[in-house]
Amino acid sequence: MTRAMFGRHYADLAVTEQTLRDSGLEWTVSRPPSHAHTSRKNVIMTKYARFASLVCAGLFAGFLTSVLVLELSLRGFDSTVYTQVRLVELDSLDKLAVATLLPALIATAVLAYRTYRTNTRWSTVAALALLVFVLGLTLIVNLPINSDQLHWNAQSPPSNWTDVRDRWQIAHAVRTVAAVLAFAVLALAAPLPRTRRSSSRPNERP
């Protein structure tokens, strides 16, 4: 619409810039920034998204770390104790996992969208990819084992209970590392000065 209304102005502008490029002189072209990218509202919304992403990812990573410590402690006990503790874990911990992972995913996805034009975009995308990996691993490995263990009897667990335990704990250790890395990446990127990608032409200097 703007180009249709001010076509002659844009044509003159193109000629002017071409003349500058052909002149061989050192030159700089300055343009007013986009209001949508620099408005105070957008800056505040990005800060909120970053804060929510950090808090939720940190809570989720801390939750997984706590469960990992508990699971490693159980390796020194027999099948009866392991099964009893697992049944207690499965009573509520799955709900806590959902309550921390989903907000972390949503907040990080929003942050990735709001920072995709800045120099911190790759950090945010990396953190989001790690959280998505955690979700996928959970759905593929941990949740099916959880569903199976809900039907275990502490007095007579299955004969392959150690294999099931090891498979769950290995997957959990991997997702814990991924969640901690996601939080670390977000935390390291948070204090960095943010600049937007230049949309200038190769011969232009901001």
Side-chain angles (χ1 to χ4, degrees), residues 70-79 81-82 161 165 169:
L70 175 60
E71 286 288 330
L72 293 178
S73 301
L74 288 174
R75 295 187 67 83
F77 294 88
D78 60 19
S79 61
V81 174
Y82 172 78
W161 73 273
R165 177 200 63 188
Q169 289 180 348

Side-chain angles (χ1 to χ4, degrees), residues 52-69:
S53 178
L54 271 172
V55 170
C56 294
L59 288 173
F60 180 63
F63 162 71
L64 291 187
T65 302
S66 300
V67 174
L68 179 62
V69 172

Side-chain angles (χ1 to χ4, degrees), residues 10-195:
Y10 277 99
D12 291 344
L13 180 62
V15 171
T16 301
E17 292 187 0
Q18 186 61 48
T19 301
L20 283 172
R21 283 193 292 272
D22 295 340
S23 67
L25 300 174
E26 294 293 331
W27 53 271
T28 299
V29 173
S30 298
R31 295 188 178 89
S34 170
H35 176 74
H37 289 165
T38 58
S39 69
R40 180 174 177 80
K41 179 180 177 181
N42 281 348
V43 171
I44 292 175
M45 291 298 295
T46 301
K47 288 182 177 180
Y48 284 157
R50 188 177 301 279
F51 176 78
S53 178
L54 271 172
V55 170
C56 294
L59 288 173
F60 180 63
F63 162 71
L64 291 187
T65 302
S66 300
V67 174
L68 179 62
V69 172
L70 175 60
E71 286 288 330
L72 293 178
S73 301
L74 288 174
R75 295 187 67 83
F77 294 88
D78 60 19
S79 61
T80 300
V81 174
Y82 172 78
T83 303
Q84 287 175 335
V85 174
R86 281 297 292 160
L87 291 175
V88 172
E89 287 182 24
L90 295 173
D91 182 60
S92 299
L93 289 187
D94 278 358
K95 300 180 182 66
L96 184 56
V98 173
T100 51
L101 174 57
L102 290 185
L105 275 170
I106 294 171
T108 306
V110 171
L111 180 62
Y113 171 76
R114 301 199 67 85
T115 60
Y116 78 100
R117 288 182 180 275
T118 71
N119 60 321
T120 62
R121 63 191 179 278
W122 295 119
S123 299
T124 310
V125 170
L128 179 60
L130 286 167
L131 291 175
V132 170
F133 169 76
V134 170
L135 176 62
L137 184 61
T138 299
L139 294 174
I140 294 172
V141 180
N142 295 92
L143 283 184
I145 294 177
N146 289 354
S147 299
D148 181 55
Q149 288 181 331
L150 280 173
H151 304 290
W152 283 15
N153 188 322
Q155 305 307 318
S156 58
S159 58
N160 66 335
W161 73 273
T162 55
D163 294 335
V164 176
R165 177 200 63 188
D166 292 347
R167 192 162 69 251
W168 191 96
Q169 289 180 348
I170 290 172
H172 181 73
V174 171
R175 65 178 182 171
T176 299
V177 171
V180 171
L181 285 176
F183 172 69
V185 168
L186 290 171
L188 290 174
L192 294 178
R194 279 166 288 284
T195 58

Side-chain angles (χ1 to χ4, degrees), residues 184-206:
V185 168
L186 290 171
L188 290 174
L192 294 178
R194 279 166 288 284
T195 58
R196 292 194 169 271
R197 288 182 295 176
S198 174
S199 60
S200 58
R201 297 182 179 86
N203 286 340
E204 295 176 358
R205 293 195 306 274

